[in-house]
Amino acid sequence: MPVTSEATTTWTGSLAEGSGTVAFSSSKLGTFPINWKARSEGSDTTTTPEELIAAAHASCFSMALSHALSENGTPPERVNTSASVTFKPGVGITGSHLNVNAVVPGLTPEAFQTIAAEAKVGCPVSQALAGIEITLEATLA
């Protein structure tokens, strides 16, 4: 059965001077501010569409990797993934870099590399981002 997730954005003003908020249907945390300046110059206090994509990519990849490791008979004790999504004004989103560190008893580093690479390809968010370069850095703790 399909599951639909939802987020809502309210924006006021022009692109350069305007601002908005984004809220998630599942979250009781309230709204998160967004604006062009944060997107085009970076910010530690305002979210961006790319940060939201990074959150989706990191969480999806972690789930895909955990599943693949379990299917291999080597379930992970811990998977820690960060995703860095790059946006270039005037060009768009140009890439996503996954950096994963995991604790997986009984697995060789070589086998981990193979399984992580397969999970990157099989991750539904990676598949949705097929139009950009996706890179992976995977290490065992």
Side-chain angles (χ1 to χ4, degrees):
M1 181 163 137
V3 175
T4 301
S5 299
E6 186 175 306
T8 302
T9 296
T10 301
W11 185 269
T12 56
S14 68
L15 175 62
E17 289 83 31
S19 64
T21 59
V22 63
F24 306 99
S25 62
S26 66
S27 177
K28 306 297 181 229
L29 299 175
T31 60
F32 298 89
I34 57 172
N35 64 44
W36 175 251
K37 184 175 180 176
R39 188 173 194 193
S40 61
E41 298 175 19
S43 173
D44 291 334
T45 59
T46 303
T47 195
T48 65
E50 291 71 33
E51 184 177 39
L52 300 172
I53 291 170
H57 204 188
S59 59
C60 183
F61 175 78
S62 290
M63 288 185 233
L65 181 58
S66 177
H67 178 68
L69 290 166
S70 295
E71 289 287 307
N72 186 62
T74 53
E77 289 181 4
R78 180 185 53 80
V79 173
N80 184 31
T81 305
S82 64
S84 303
V85 174
T86 303
F87 174 77
K88 184 175 180 182
V91 175
I93 297 170
T94 59
S96 182
H97 178 73
L98 295 166
N99 189 339
V100 62
N101 182 280
V103 177
V104 187
L107 190 66
T108 66
E110 296 78 19
F112 181 67
Q113 292 296 320
T114 299
I115 293 168
E118 291 169 358
K120 179 188 88 164
V121 172
C123 164
V125 172
S126 289
Q127 292 172 1
L129 297 173
I132 64 169
E133 180 182 22
I134 299 171
T135 55
L136 173 67
E137 187 175 342
T139 57
L140 285 172

